[in-house]
Amino acid sequence: MIVCLCNALSDAQLADAIAKGARRPKDVYCACGGTAQCGTCTKTILTMIRETPTASTNPAGLP
């Protein structure tokens, strides 16, 4: 599903960038080859970042 209309970024692309370490919307846009434009998708990106477990919050990699 397309989340960012301005950059035509899908949820899968965003999730991949987050999984690879992007921790701020700016980092996610950059990793996907885009830039923040209208900002409508920023809330969704922040939610995706917050809902993605990180090594620091889950050091053992447990579910």
Side-chain angles (χ1 to χ4, degrees), residues 6-55:
C6 297
N7 292 292
L9 300 175
S10 71
D11 56 338
Q13 289 172 288
L14 300 174
D16 185 54
I18 294 166
K20 290 180 178 173
R23 293 291 170 253
R24 298 180 304 164
K26 180 180 177 180
D27 299 335
V28 174
Y29 292 121
C30 184
C32 293
T35 59
Q37 293 181 36
C38 79
T40 302
C41 60
T42 303
K43 184 175 179 181
T44 302
I45 293 172
L46 283 169
T47 299
M48 291 175 72
I49 291 168
R50 289 180 185 131
E51 291 178 351
T52 301
T54 63

